[in-house]
Amino acid sequence: MVDISPGGALGSSATSDIFQILRDGRPRTRTELATLTGLARSTVALRIDSLTQLGLIGPAETAPSTGGRPSSQFALRAGNKVVLAADIGATHVRIAVSDLTGRPLSEDSAAIEVAQGPEAVLNWVIEAGDALLSTAGRSLGDLLAIGVGLPGPVEHSSGRPINPPIMPGWDNFDVPAWLGAHFSVPVLVDNDVNIMALGEREMAWPEVDHLIFVKVATGIGAGVISGGMLQRGAQGVAGDLGHVRVSRDGETLCHCGNTGCLEALASGPALAKSLGVESPSSQDVVDLVRSGNLDAIQAVRQAGRDLGEVLTACISLINPSVIVVGGAMAQAGEHLIAGVREVVYARSMPLATQHLQITQSSVGANAAVLGASLLAIHHVLSPESVEAMVVDLADATAP
Ligand SMILES: [Zn+2]
């Protein structure tokens, strides 16, 4: 009896099974796909037709056969469809149109203050996004999804920023609806640290399944990858380390209303203020460190120790194999990392630090745009999304 139930052998889940195998980019024959999925060859052939019509896969080079005709191979067509990625920072926006591996096809950036409000910033993304699509020779029909990073807390289920401290006018703004009204594709929104963690891992640590990316700049936060998956927690706040209390100072007032927060002691502006810099920013501290100012070097090293104290608890909780420190303050070089290592190695269980690497971000500013494109790609190439596309295709072609 033929199984025609939605999840059965002829149902769309068979299609996503085949597609998930081809996502690695390696070409395979129908016979190989039948063996790998356990599906009948006729089923594999039908599903390959659907995926080819969707433009997600296509014929590849012909494989040598054991005699007779060469058998055709099929592979992911990463360049057939695109995603739009937007990294919205406090004072900049970077966007890119990328293929389905995250490779940028065209890019743009602008100095825009996030404080100008959601409509001004997102309308720039819409205009620049349209321009980038045509620069890359693509139409709206080629666009599958949009990934956006924002410099504040984002409720994961809705894609809305929630009480973001440096984003006036953005609280509870429906970012997916605003962009979706123009582009008509799914819009995924996350905070900037999470997308940086995704990008850093993809570019520098693709084999690592347990990684913490810490951004130290105007604020302090972390993106946590555990078991190969970005961990957002119940509301999307996982990794928000900035307001954990540090033991050495219970007095310093934080902008959150509490005292002794990590961010109030170790962020770029906090250090600059303690060094008596006017108009304090992370860059001022980095400049002082680079010029050899001893007070600045000591302050950065202490900030590293404060960060290390908080990270020690994180290490006990999720046992990462890599901790990457990024953000503007990471440019102060080894002084910050040295402070982190000092405390982490002194305070962690030996087994947890035996193979632990604590290192500076190697990807830098590009990590965020790449991460935003991966956010979109992971969504749109998930089994559920591919199944939905196949069902839509079947509906569209039904007599
Ligand atoms: Zn605080």
Side-chain angles (χ1 to χ4, degrees):
M1 198 178 118
V2 177
D3 181 358
I4 53 165
S5 63
L10 285 181
S12 52
S13 76
T15 316
S16 86
D17 287 352
I18 291 169
F19 181 70
Q20 297 307 319
I21 291 170
L22 290 170
R23 269 184 74 173
D24 67 5
R26 205 160 71 77
R28 292 180 179 84
T29 63
R30 289 189 183 91
T31 310
E32 284 176 291
L33 289 167
T35 309
L36 287 166
T37 55
L39 297 166
R41 267 201 63 163
S42 53
T43 310
V44 170
L46 278 171
R47 297 306 143 195
I48 283 178
D49 285 349
S50 303
L51 288 168
T52 306
Q53 279 185 61
L54 286 169
L56 294 176
I57 69 167
E61 306 290 301
T62 50
S65 170
T66 49
R69 287 186 304 123
S71 48
S72 332
Q73 288 186 310
F74 297 87
L76 175 72
R77 283 285 170 87
N80 269 5
K81 297 287 179 181
V82 295
V83 295
L84 179 65
D87 159 35
I88 298 173
T91 57
H92 72 265
V93 182
R94 292 188 196 90
I95 67 169
V97 166
S98 306
D99 72 13
L100 297 183
T101 65
R103 189 174 63 91
L105 304 173
S106 55
E107 296 171 89
D108 196 5
S109 65
I112 300 174
E113 303 271 338
V114 77
Q116 286 183 28
E119 296 177 9
V121 175
L122 295 177
N123 285 344
W124 183 85
V125 170
I126 288 171
E127 260 177 56
D130 279 339
L132 281 190
L133 279 170
S134 68
T135 309
R138 302 313 168 103
S139 68
L140 272 182
D142 296 327
L143 183 68
L144 290 183
I146 301 173
V148 181
L150 293 176
V154 174
E155 183 181 61
H156 182 60
S157 58
S158 66
R160 291 167 184 253
I162 303 295
N163 295 321
I166 62 162
M167 300 168 63
W170 288 76
D171 183 30
N172 211 29
F173 189 84
D174 196 343
V175 177
W178 191 269
L179 292 177
H182 178 79
F183 291 108
S184 306
V185 293
V187 180
L188 292 305
V189 188
D190 211 330
N191 71 65
D192 55 351
V193 187
N194 279 349
I195 62 166
M196 287 167 88
L198 285 175
E200 183 83 26
R201 186 216 183 193
E202 178 82 7
M203 281 178 89
W205 308 94
E207 308 296 329
V208 170
D209 282 340
H210 304 275
L211 176 147
I212 298 178
F213 179 93
V214 194
K215 180 188 177 191
V216 186
T218 306
I220 298 178
V224 178
I225 291 170
S226 183
M229 302 283 289
L230 184 65
Q231 303 296 327
R232 298 184 173 89
Q235 265 75 41
V237 191
D240 205 346
L241 305 178
H243 305 282
V244 176
R245 191 182 179 115
V246 176
S247 60
R248 79 173 161 93
D249 180 342
E251 302 300 312
T252 305
L253 188 64
C254 178
H255 61 83
C256 76
N258 277 323
T259 54
C261 295
L262 177 64
E263 199 164 295
L265 295 171
S267 67
L271 292 186
K273 206 171 148 200
S274 75
L275 292 165
V277 179
E278 281 175 49
S279 70
S281 75
S282 303
Q283 192 57 46
D284 294 325
V285 181
V286 171
D287 291 345
L288 281 173
V289 168
R290 285 182 174 163
S291 71
N293 181 297
L294 277 181
D295 290 341
I297 291 172
Q298 285 182 332
V300 166
R301 187 146 182 145
Q302 182 57 47
R305 291 187 197 108
D306 296 339
L307 180 58
E309 182 180 329
V310 174
L311 285 175
T312 300
C314 303
I315 290 166
S316 295
L317 198 63
I318 73 153
N319 184 202
S321 49
V322 177
I323 293 176
V324 181
V325 181
M329 284 303 300
Q331 293 165 38
E334 281 299 309
H335 302 292
L336 184 70
I337 307 276
V340 174
R341 288 194 188 115
E342 209 183 296
V343 172
V344 163
Y345 289 130
R347 296 293 313 169
S348 297
M349 297 301 287
L351 185 59
T353 50
Q354 197 175 10
H355 300 293
L356 174 65
Q357 295 187 66
I358 303 173
T359 180
Q360 211 172 325
S361 165
S362 57
V363 181
N366 293 332
V369 175
L370 174 65
S373 70
L374 293 173
L375 193 65
I377 292 164
H378 290 172
H379 170 81
V380 84
L381 298 187
S382 68
E384 297 74 26
S385 299
V386 171
E387 282 166 31
M389 281 192 267
V390 172
V391 169
D392 287 350
L393 179 72
D395 289 348
T397 54

